[in-house]
Every structure is written in structure tokens, then in C-alpha cells.
């Protein structure tokens, strides 16, 4: 109502007519025309008639369907995905999905199921994923076995299941993932595991079940893609029960609220007779941590010791020559040398992220890791006045280096000379003090991604990015430019191969129209959260096919001569700008409605002026910038009064003149 009143006042006061276009939204949200719909949390008791028969992907959770039967979804025969999360379903009747031959995923999570008919899942020819999480199931015989021959994943988490013995004739040949997390399973029998022997590359999830016993030989000569025993209080029982098994990934981590036993060398004795590639032990405590603790870890390729309260790794660890990935994040190392890296000569990936103490990089601590490809030392309060050649000595094959969220770094010439193969370098939120006239990155000829966001850079240094011929992605978010402007000559000139440029939150006021003249390969530029006006768009005039983010700037009016620049881009985001919705901006408003397919953030692209249209979406406003009948009437009256006034003024002057002759 307020917007209509505003339009009337505009018509009288400004001689322009406008109207707000409103549309009633469909009850269900259309994500992909005629195929994908979201009808969640609408209080529906049936499938709405507005859904087309061609619907394939339907999210229908948080509605009310206490009973589903063969007529409930009979019209939607093309369904491939159906989500019925928390629809208060109690009964699933016979042949509910008999006409849905293409259905491959059914989600019944959070429904208090009382009954599922034996033939309730008949119909789909390729049913692959079935979610029965939080449905109150206490035994597996509840699950109908008909038509599950192609089942790949079965999700049974957060129920009351105490035994994993599957019903007879339960098809397991194609099963890849079986989820039993957060149930009441405490014992695993040989019979239960033998029933799964037809499955290949199977992943079993027992996370949140405190396993207290495994029948000897239950896993003997069995092969698994992954096993998850997270939250088990006594790992020795689990590892003993897994003897003679082959496991690619074994998750044995615990949780902060779990009262588990400390890990000792004896805990891992069962591991000596098990073939495992990857182990996760996060958040456990070690007792008597020594080199013998790793006696049964030979052959291991990945080891995750995140948050295991370590202050150092013991020296003299033997047999870890196969280890390729080591995660030591969220521990309490004082110096990098305390990890005794020489014990892991084949290491390719090393993560020490979020160290709980201020981490000293030391000197040559990693020089024995000549095969290292990825190194993450972020969030570790590292501070160094001269980075990083001595600290990264002999890491000539390093490709990924993350030093973000640390304390100030001092950078000299060719600061990364020891890592000439770097392809990604992340220094975000680390104050960089460049102490050289030349670029600290100049030898990184293979670098493709450089993150320098919030580094408090001296952006007036035009040589800062020299020597990076292959740089594709540059993030300068949060760095300030002198005078709030990017001039014609700037630090971006040497990086002509750039495809993605992030300049958000740089407090920019203006950009010279030639500032990006050397960046002809750019595909995406983010200029959001600055103070730019519409005139800055001219700096993109020579670029085509860009994804441009200009959200949250100070753009009010976009002149007519800049519209071709916008037209030649692929996507544009102008949301959260104080856009003018008067006739002063009519050319842009007309262009906007004609190019909605190019625009992002339509819901947040609203008018700021005039006040009576503030908050109205641009796509909902139509201006007709012509003089209306009312406007013509007032104009004629005004001109007529002006003429009369002039006549009286002339007469008055003539009379005054004759009186004073």
C-alpha cells in the first residue's frame, strides 16, 4: 500500500508515473523448471496440484503425511529423488512406490515409523540410497528386503539397534555404505560380518557405539573401504577384533565428552596383524608416548593425530617409510623441529594447523622431507623477521604452502627461493613486512594461486607481484590502496595472466579507466564492499565475459554510456547499493529489466531513492518518464501565472519610470 501511495505522489510531484509489480509466489520453490522443487515446511498434507508431473527431484520434508500409500505420489512418476524428512510418517503401505521406476533415493529421516509393508519399496528399478535415520528402528527385520538388490547405501543412524544381524536374503552385493552411527551396538559377531561378504569396498560406520567386544575372527580376511569406530572407549578391543582384516581407512577418533582409556603401546598390538592404509586417532590421550608406540604402524600411509595433546614426537621412530600424509593439527608444539620429521622420509602432506602454542619455525626442521608437496602451518601464531628460505630448506618439490592467520612475517628478496615449484601460496591475515625493493615472490614462475587478503600490504609497491607469469588467482581482499584509488600504473601490471581478482573490502573510492588494461584474460573480478560509484564501471570497458561483483558499494546512478560495458559481461551483482529509482536513472532501470538473466542477488538489489520506494526490488518497479496529463495541467498553469506575473512587473516598472521623469 505504501509503495502505491509513493507512486501517486511521484506522479504529481515529478511528472512521472510508476507502478510496483507484484507476483504471488508458488507454494513450492522451483529450483529447476519442471524438474526440481522444494516444498519443505509448508504445512502440506498432500502433494500440491501446482507440482508438474515431470518433477524429478522433490524435497518435501517437514510437512504432515502420517500415512503414505500408492496414491500419494502416483502422479509424479518421473521422481528420482524424494526427501520426506520429518513428515510424521507412521505407516508406509504396500506398493507405495510401484509406479516410480526411476526413483533411486528415498529419505525417511526423522519419521516415527510403526510399519513398513514388505512390498512398500517395490517399483523402483534402481533404488540405490535409503535413509532410515532417526526412525525408531530397534531391529533390522523391520526393513523390507524386497527390491533392494541395487541398494548402495543404507543409513540407519540414531536409532535403537543393538544387533547388526541383517535379515535373511538381505541383498548386499552392491552395498557400499552401511551407517549404524549412534545406536546401541556393543558387540559384533562373526555371523553379522559374514552376511556382508558379498559386498566389495564396503564402508561401515559404528561411530558413537561403544563397542565392547568383537567375536574373534569376525573380520578375518575381510576387506573394507573404511571402518569408523569413533567414540569407542577401549580401542584395544577393536584393534584385536580387526586382526587379519584389510582396511583402507580406519577412523578411531574420540570426542571431548567421551571417557575413554589412554592409549599405550599395548593398545596397538592388534594392529600388527592388520593391513591399514589410513588411521585417525584424533582427540585421544597417549600414555608413555615413545618410539615403540609406532611399532605396529609400519605400512601406514596416512596418520591423523589432530588434538592428541602432543608436545613432541619421539625421536628414533622406525618403520614409517611408507607414510605419505601426517596431520598434527591442534597440538602444542613449541618448535617445528619437535615433530622429528626425519622419521617420515616419504612424507608428501604435512598439516600442523591451529597449533595451541606459538610455533617457532626453527631452521632446517623439515629439510629431510624432500618429497613434501603440501604444507599447512596456518593459525599457529608463527612470527618470523626473515621468512622463509632457512625455514623451508630443501623443500624443492613443495607445491602448496599455507601460512595464513599467523603473526607478522618479514619477507626479503626471493623469500621462497627454496620452493620454486609452488603452485598455491596462502598468506591471508598475516601481516607482511616486505623489506626488499624487488618482489619476494619473483622466482615462483609456476605459482597459480596467491592469497594476500588482509596482509596490510604496501600496495604502492609496483614491483610486489613481479615474476609471477602464470598467476591465475589473486586475492587482495582487505588491503588498502593509497588515496582509495587504483591508478593507471599499479601493482597489477606484471600479472597479465590473471583470471580471478579479488579486491573486496579495500575501501576503494575510484578506479582509473586504464587500471586493468593489462588483464585481458580475466574471468571474474570481485569489487564488493567498497565505496565505488557507477563511474568505476568504465575500468571494465575493454573486458568481456566477466563475472563482476559490485555488491555493497556506493553506486546510485549508472550513466547511459556505461551500459554497453555491463552488457558485455556474463554475470553482474549490484545488490546492496543505494540505487536511484527515479527518471534520472531510467536508462539503467530499463537495461536492468531487460538483462535479469545476467544479474545475481536480485532479491537484495533494491531502490534507495526516492524514500517512498526504498526497499522495493528493482525488478518490481516500472517508471514511465513522460509528462502526464496532470503534469501538463500544472505546467500550463505555472506558465500562465508566470506570464501574468511578468506583465504586471513590466507595467509596474513603466509606471514607476514615468512617475520619476
Amino acid at each position: 500500500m505504501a509503495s502505491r501511495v509513493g507512486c501517486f505522489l511521484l506522479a504529481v510531484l515529478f511528472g512521472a508515473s510508476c507502478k510496483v509489480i507484484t507476483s504471488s509466489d508458488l507454494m513450492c520453490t522451483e529450483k529447476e523448471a519442471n524438474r526440481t522443487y522444494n516444498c519443505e515446511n509448508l504445512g502440506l498434507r498432500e502433494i500440491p496440484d501446482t507440482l508438474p508431473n515431470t518433477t524429478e527431484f522433490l524435497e518435501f520434508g517437514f510437512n504432515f503425511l502420517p500415512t503414505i500409500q500408492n496414491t500419494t505420489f502416483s502422479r509424479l512418476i518421473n521422481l528420482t529423488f524424494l526427501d520426506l524428512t520429518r513428515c510424521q510418517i507412521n505407516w508406509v503401505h504396500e506398493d507405495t512406490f510401484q509406479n516410480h521406476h526411476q526413483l533411486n533415493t528415498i529419505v525417511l529421516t526423522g519419521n516415527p515409523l510403526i510399519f513398513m509393508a514388505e512390498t512398500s519399496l517395490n517399483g523402483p528399478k534402481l533404488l540405490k540410497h535409503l535413509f532410515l535415520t532417526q526412525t525408531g528402528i530397534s531391529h533390522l527385520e523391520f526393513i523390507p528386503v524386497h527390491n533392494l538388490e541395487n541398494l548402495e547405501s543404507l543409513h540407519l543412524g540414531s536409532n535403537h539397534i543393538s544387533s547388526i544381524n541383517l535379515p535373511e536374503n538381505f541383498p548386499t552385493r552392491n552395498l557400499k555404505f552401511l551407517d549404524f552411527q549412534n545406536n546401541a551396538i556393543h558387540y559384533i559377531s562373526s555371523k553379522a560380518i559374514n552376511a556382508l561378504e558379498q559386498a566389495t569396498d564396503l564402508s561401515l560406520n559404528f561411530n558413537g557405539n561403544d563397542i565392547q567386544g568383537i567375536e574373534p575372527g569376525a573380520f578375518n580376511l575381510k576387506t573394507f573401504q573404511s571402518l569408523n569406530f569413533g567414540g569407542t572407549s577401549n580401542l584395544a578391543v577393536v584393534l584385536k577384533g580387526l586382526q587379519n582384516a584389510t582396511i583402507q581407512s580406519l577412523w578411531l577418533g574420540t570426542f571431548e565428552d567421551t571417557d575413554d582409556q589412554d592409549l599405550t603401546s599395548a593398545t596397538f598390538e592388534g594392529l600388527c596383524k592388520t593391513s591399514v592404509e589410513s588411521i585417525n586417532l584424533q582427540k585421544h590421550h597417549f600414555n608413555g608416548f615413545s618410539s615403540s608406540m609406532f611399532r605396529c604402524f609400519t605400512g601406514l600411509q596416512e596418520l591423523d593425530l589432530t588434538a592428541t595433546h602432543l608436545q613432541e614426537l619421539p625421536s628414533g621412530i622406525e618403520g614409517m617409510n611408507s607414510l605419505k600424509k601426517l596431520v598434527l593439527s591442534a597440538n602444542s608444539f613449541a618448535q617445528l623441529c619437535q615433530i622429528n620429521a626425519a622419521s617420515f622420509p616419504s612424507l608428501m602432506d604435512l598439516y600442523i594447523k591451529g597449533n595451541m602454542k606459538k610455533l617457532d619455525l626453527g631452521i632446517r626442521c623439515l629439510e629431510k622431507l624432500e618429497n613434501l608437496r603440501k604444507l599447512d602451518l596456518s593459525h599457529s601464531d608463527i612470527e618470523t623477521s626473515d621468512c622463509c628460505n632457512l625455514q623451508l630448506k630443501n623443500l624443492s618439490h613443495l607445491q602448496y604452502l599455507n601460512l595464513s592467520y599467523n603473526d607478522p612475517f618479514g619477507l626479503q628478496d626471493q623469500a621462497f627461493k627454496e620452493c620454486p615449484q609452488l603452485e598455491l601460496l596462502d598468506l591471508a591475515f598475516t601481516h607482511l613486512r616486505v623489506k626488499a625493493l624487488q618482489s619476494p615472490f619473483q622466482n615462483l614462475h609456476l605459482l597459480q594461486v596467491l592469497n594476500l587478503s588482509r596482509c596490510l600490504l604496501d600496495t604502492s609497491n609496483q614491483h610486489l607481484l613481479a615474476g609471477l607469469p602464470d598467476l591465475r588467482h589473486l586475492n587482495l581482499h582487505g588491503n588498502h590502496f593509497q588515496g582509495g584509488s587504483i591508478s593507471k600504473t599499479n601493482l597489477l601490471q606484471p600479472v597479465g595472466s590473471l583470471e580471478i581478482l579479488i579486491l573486496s573490502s579495500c575501501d576503494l573510492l575510484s578506479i582509473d579507466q586504464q587500471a586493468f588494461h593489462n588483464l585481458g584474460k580475466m574471468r571474474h573480478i570481485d569489487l564488493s564492499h567498497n565505496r565505488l560509484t557507477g563511474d568505476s564501471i568504465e575500468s571494465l570497458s575493454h573486458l568481456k565475459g566477466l563475472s563482476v561483483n559490485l555488491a555493497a558499494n556506493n553506486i546510485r546512478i549508472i550513466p547511459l554510456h556505461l551500459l554497453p560495458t555491463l552488457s558485455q559481461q556474463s554475470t553482474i551483482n549490484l545488490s546492496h547499493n543505494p540505487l536511484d529509482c527515479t527518471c534520472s536513472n531510467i536508462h539503467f532501470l530499463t537495461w536492468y529489466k531487460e538483462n535479469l538473466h545476467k544479474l545475481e542477488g536480485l532479491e537484495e538489489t533494491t531502490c534507495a531513492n526516492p524514500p517512498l520506494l526504498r526497499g522495493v526490488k528493482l525488478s518490481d518497479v516500472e517508471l514511465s518518464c513522460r509528462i502526464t496529463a496532470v503534469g501538463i495541467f500544472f505546467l500550463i498553469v505555472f506558465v500562465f501565472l508566470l506570464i501574468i506575473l511578468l506583465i504586471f512587473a513590466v507595467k509596474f516598472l513603466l509606471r514607476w519610470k514615468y512617475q520619476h521623469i
Side-chain angles (χ1 to χ4, degrees), residues 274-538:
T274 306
S275 176
V276 183
E277 289 188 11
S278 172
I279 291 182
N280 186 309
L281 294 168
Q282 72 171 33
K283 296 194 176 181
H284 277 290
H285 286 78
F286 288 89
N287 186 7
F289 198 59
S290 65
S291 59
S292 62
M293 188 80 70
F294 296 89
R295 181 173 58 87
C296 296
F297 284 61
T298 57
L300 203 63
Q301 295 188 26
E302 296 184 9
L303 177 60
D304 191 333
L305 296 172
T306 298
T308 46
H309 317 281
L310 298 175
Q311 295 186 0
E312 65 176 346
L313 293 183
S315 59
I317 297 174
E318 298 179 352
M320 300 287 286
N321 296 338
S322 299
L323 196 69
K324 299 289 193 297
K325 179 179 179 180
L326 178 61
V327 183
L328 297 170
S329 300
N331 283 294
S332 300
F333 301 105
Q335 192 188 62
L336 193 55
C337 289
Q338 290 177 326
I339 72 168
N340 286 295
S343 300
F344 318 106
S346 300
L347 208 61
M348 298 180 70
D349 298 348
L350 175 60
Y351 297 84
I352 309 178
K353 181 179 179 179
N355 197 61
M356 306 303 289
K357 289 183 178 179
K358 192 178 186 69
L359 183 64
D360 182 358
L361 289 179
I363 296 176
R364 300 173 179 261
C365 294
L366 305 177
E367 67 176 343
K368 299 297 184 181
L369 303 181
E370 57 184 26
N371 295 308
L372 200 66
R373 301 290 193 275
K374 184 177 289 189
L375 177 60
D376 189 341
L377 298 172
S378 59
H379 296 267
S380 294
D381 293 328
I382 299 170
E383 183 174 0
T384 174
S385 60
D386 186 6
C387 182
C388 293
N389 286 322
L390 289 176
Q391 297 88 339
L392 304 179
K393 192 72 176 176
N394 205 34
L395 300 185
S396 59
H397 293 97
L398 197 66
Q399 297 174 348
Y400 172 103
L401 177 59
N402 190 344
L403 294 169
S404 62
Y405 292 88
N406 281 301
D407 290 339
F409 276 24
L411 299 181
Q412 303 286 354
D413 277 346
Q414 299 189 42
F416 302 93
K417 185 178 180 180
E418 291 290 325
C419 312
Q421 304 293 318
L422 272 182
E423 296 179 6
L424 185 149
L425 177 58
D426 191 345
L427 293 162
F429 289 82
T430 298
H431 181 190
L432 300 182
R433 295 168 177 162
V434 180
K435 302 179 179 180
L437 296 177
Q438 300 301 317
S439 169
F441 314 112
Q442 61 184 320
N443 68 304
L444 301 180
H445 303 305
L446 302 179
L447 195 69
Q448 296 185 24
V449 179
L450 179 58
N451 189 348
L452 297 174
S453 59
R454 300 284 183 187
C455 287
L456 301 178
L457 293 172
D458 176 12
T459 55
S460 64
N461 181 357
Q462 296 181 25
H463 304 290
L464 183 65
L465 301 175
L468 299 174
D470 206 29
L471 192 65
R472 313 286 177 82
H473 184 138
L474 176 61
N475 191 338
L476 292 173
H477 167 87
N479 290 288
H480 291 180
F481 288 76
Q482 190 172 8
S485 176
I486 301 179
S487 61
K488 179 180 179 180
T489 55
N490 57 70
L491 79 169
L492 299 173
Q493 288 182 331
V495 286
S497 60
L498 214 57
E499 296 179 0
I500 298 173
L501 177 60
I502 311 297
L503 290 168
S504 55
S505 301
C506 290
D507 204 26
L508 292 173
L509 295 169
S510 64
I511 302 174
D512 188 275
Q513 66 182 45
Q514 296 294 319
F516 305 134
H517 72 280
N518 196 40
L519 305 181
K521 296 182 179 180
M522 259 206 311
R523 295 184 291 106
H524 174 86
I525 185 168
D526 187 348
L527 294 166
S528 62
H529 296 276
N530 286 293
R531 292 187 287 164
L532 298 171
T533 62
D535 292 335
S536 297
I537 295 173
E538 193 164 5

Side-chain angles (χ1 to χ4, degrees), residues 89-108:
I89 299 170
N90 299 131
W91 299 80
V92 185
H93 287 282
E94 292 83 354
D95 303 321
T96 295
F97 305 105
Q98 65 177 349
N99 296 318
H100 302 88
H101 304 306
Q102 301 176 56
L103 191 60
N104 65 49
T105 302
I106 301 175
V107 182
L108 294 171

